[in-house]
Amino acid sequence: MIDTIGSGIKKMMNIQMKRTFPLPTYDITDKGALNPKVQVTIFGEIIDENYTKLLVQNSELSLREVMLLDKVQKNVRIDKRDAGLNNDYYKAMIVTMLEKYPKSTKQEIFSLLEDKLPNVLDKQQKMKKVDNLLQSLSRSGKIKSTGRGSGWIKQ
């Protein structure tokens, strides 16, 4: 049972995150009512194995970053207000994409990230940001190029 002041919500999310399970989802009905109803769905099994692997390999991710990755695994659109995320989140998305789609090209990776990058950047600046993210991941040994213009793979 979640307490009425809501401090249990963050606790439940942290527990699920530590278990590398999907985060709980909340459906609030009658939002304007005096006593709105909240339906909580707690997942007891893995939805996307790549999400679980990502959490195991990146235990330093913040709850906010995990919440965004959880949206990705559940195919929930990330709102514009979530745009302008930190580089670790973008890198995690790239690695996840390369796990699912090896040999993805820079253009395909750009297509994945384009609407998630800050709106203050123009297309050329966004492309440069993707270049920098790919080079950073490559230098850290997490991904490698399969050859000029032919794509990237997870190492």
Side-chain angles (χ1 to χ4, degrees):
M1 187 81 169
I2 298 175
D3 59 67
T4 57
I5 60 169
S7 63
I9 293 172
K10 186 174 181 183
K11 184 177 180 180
M12 287 177 61
M13 288 189 158
N14 282 320
I15 289 169
Q16 289 292 90
M17 182 174 75
K18 286 177 185 164
R19 294 174 62 201
T20 66
F21 281 170
L23 299 180
T25 57
Y26 301 90
D27 182 31
I28 303 171
T29 57
D30 301 327
K31 290 182 184 181
L34 184 58
N35 294 314
K37 295 178 178 137
V38 179
Q39 179 179 344
V40 180
T41 304
I42 300 173
F43 298 85
E45 59 186 34
I46 295 170
I47 293 175
D48 183 339
E49 192 174 305
N50 292 316
Y51 168 84
T52 302
K53 286 179 185 176
L54 206 66
L55 292 186
V56 169
Q57 294 169 352
N58 299 286
S59 60
E60 74 284 348
L61 291 173
S62 69
L63 179 57
R64 181 175 184 270
E65 292 165 325
V66 172
M67 288 172 68
L68 293 168
L69 288 171
D70 187 67
K71 284 184 177 184
V72 171
Q73 82 161 335
K74 292 174 182 169
N75 294 318
V76 174
R77 182 167 170 78
I78 296 175
D79 296 336
K80 293 285 185 193
R81 66 178 175 268
D82 294 326
L85 310 167
N86 74 32
N87 286 342
D88 290 336
Y89 174 72
Y90 298 128
K91 290 176 185 179
M93 288 188 68
I94 291 169
V95 170
T96 300
M97 179 180 187
L98 294 176
E99 286 173 344
K100 287 185 175 183
Y101 308 102
K103 294 190 178 180
S104 293
T105 65
K106 182 174 76 171
Q107 185 58 48
E108 290 168 332
I109 294 167
F110 177 76
S111 295
L112 169 74
L113 297 178
E114 183 176 18
D115 67 336
K116 294 161 188 67
L117 292 167
N119 291 331
V120 296
L121 301 178
D122 63 28
K123 188 170 183 164
Q124 184 178 8
Q125 291 169 319
K126 288 180 179 184
M127 187 63 86
K128 182 66 177 169
K129 175 123 180 120
V130 170
D131 280 337
N132 291 340
L133 293 166
L134 291 169
Q135 290 307 315
S136 175
L137 284 166
S138 179
R139 281 191 300 275
S140 68
K142 293 183 178 178
I143 67 169
K144 71 176 183 178
S145 173
T146 58
R148 182 168 216 121
S150 62
W152 293 85
I153 58 172
K154 183 183 179 296
Q155 281 191 287

